[in-house]
Structures are given as structure tokens and as C-alpha cells.
Amino acid sequence: MPAGAEETHRRALTLSSDIVITDTWTRAITQADGRDTLSGVVAHYAVASVDTSTGTNAGNTTLSMGLGSTDMKTMRVAFGAGNAAHYYECDLATPGGNFANPPNCQTTTTGTYSIVTVNGAQIMRFAGHPAVDASIGYDVVYTQIDWGGGPPNRWVYRAHATKPDYQNRFAQSLRLNGAAWSAFKTQLGL
């Protein structure tokens, strides 16, 4: 490396609430059947409507949590009385892919859900679900956003909330200064 080349080690710790909708196009829930509000989502995915048969519709009567104990499982949720959240785990055909056929959805545990307002947006959080793959650094939440004008512009999205532990809130990076980057570019032929 040439004289003056340096590498800077940066460390960061996220302190504030960190809820992100990773893609407003693919993370939106259909507005059909009143699912444009969190209360509509709760009503639509009621425990009484859950079908855990071996048919191809078994997983579609529950709401996706996008998580699982392994990359070949997906966690689902349905809602009961008194803020009860009933969790299910279904088989996937490929890691992170579609349901297996049959999806083999199984009841796992019962926990709770709560709806709170954060910076003007309603957020649905979950508690008491089964353990998920340790490599996943976020919790799934759902949020209701009104872009203005009521129902046609009101959507519910699946979002990610960074887990509140040190491991998932700490980040580090190495940065090169101009002299070091120029030397690397020359070595790479860029």
C-alpha cells in the first residue's frame, strides 16, 4: 500500500426504534375483504377460519410471519379472542419459497398480539411465538399506513423491527481512505 493509505474501523449501535417496510410494493396485504386496517386483518384471519388440512389451501387461511424454525418452514398466525395469536408452522417447497404440496401446517403455540401507535402509524407486534432461525435479526410486525384519503389509500404492510438485543443492533465496517482505494482500484484494473 502507498504512503498515506489508511483503513478506518467504524462501529455503530442502533438505539432508536428501527421498523422498516422493506418494499411497499411486495409487502402490502391485499385490501380485499376489509384488510386495509389492522382490525380488518385480525377479523379476516380468525382462528375459526383456519384450515390445517393437507389440501393446498391450508396455509392461506393464516397470515404470514415470514419466519420459521428452519429455512424450509414458514410461521403463520391467526387471531383469537382477547388478543390471542395462534401460531402455525408450514412446510416450504424450497428455502424461502412457496408452500410444499401438501404444506403440512401444524399448530405450534399460542401467544399474544398488541397494536400500538408509533410516530402516528399503528404497529401490530407479536409475542410468545416459537423460536425462529437464529440468523434472522428482526421481528415481523404489521403496520397500517394511510397515505391520505381513507380506504383507497390505506394499506397494511408487513414490516421488520430490528431485534432489541446487542447482537442485532451492533454493526461494524471497515472503510478505506482515498489513497488506499486508489491503490486497490489500480490492482483490480478499474
Side-chain angles (χ1 to χ4, degrees):
M1 294 300 266
E6 293 181 3
E7 178 181 65
T8 305
H9 192 153
R10 295 185 181 177
R11 294 172 186 89
L13 186 62
T14 302
L15 300 176
S16 63
S17 176
D18 193 25
I19 299 172
V20 176
I21 301 169
T22 57
D23 183 342
T24 57
W25 183 256
T26 63
R27 297 294 187 203
I29 295 177
T30 180
Q31 291 177 307
D33 305 320
R35 288 178 276 175
D36 62 336
T37 65
L38 291 176
S39 59
V41 167
V42 168
H44 184 80
Y45 294 104
V47 171
S49 301
V50 172
D51 176 5
T52 58
S53 70
T54 58
T56 57
N57 195 41
N60 297 327
T61 57
T62 54
L63 181 64
S64 173
M65 294 289 289
L67 306 168
S69 58
T70 70
D71 62 359
M72 292 301 293
K73 299 277 188 182
T74 183
M75 189 185 314
R76 314 284 296 177
V77 65
F79 304 97
N83 288 20
H86 297 257
Y87 300 106
Y88 306 84
E89 197 165 61
C90 303
D91 292 340
L92 295 174
T94 59
N98 295 324
F99 288 121
N101 188 9
N104 190 30
C105 296
Q106 302 293 317
T107 302
T108 57
T109 63
T110 299
T112 59
Y113 73 92
S114 61
I115 298 175
V116 297
T117 301
V118 176
N119 298 326
Q122 288 188 324
I123 306 291
M124 178 188 292
R125 294 184 182 270
F126 301 91
H129 58 71
V132 298
D133 187 314
S135 68
I136 298 171
Y138 59 85
D139 292 319
V140 169
V141 298
Y142 279 86
T143 182
Q144 174 183 316
I145 305 290
D146 190 338
W147 297 106
N153 296 309
R154 187 173 55 214
W155 293 86
V156 172
Y157 298 93
R158 189 179 104 187
H160 297 164
T162 303
K163 288 182 178 177
D165 57 23
Y166 179 79
Q167 173 185 339
N168 290 294
R169 294 209 172 235
F170 176 76
Q172 57 185 338
S173 64
L174 299 173
R175 303 285 175 126
L176 302 175
N177 70 357
W181 176 235
S182 291
F184 267 115
K185 286 193 311 187
T186 300
Q187 288 293 322
L188 296 172
L190 300 175

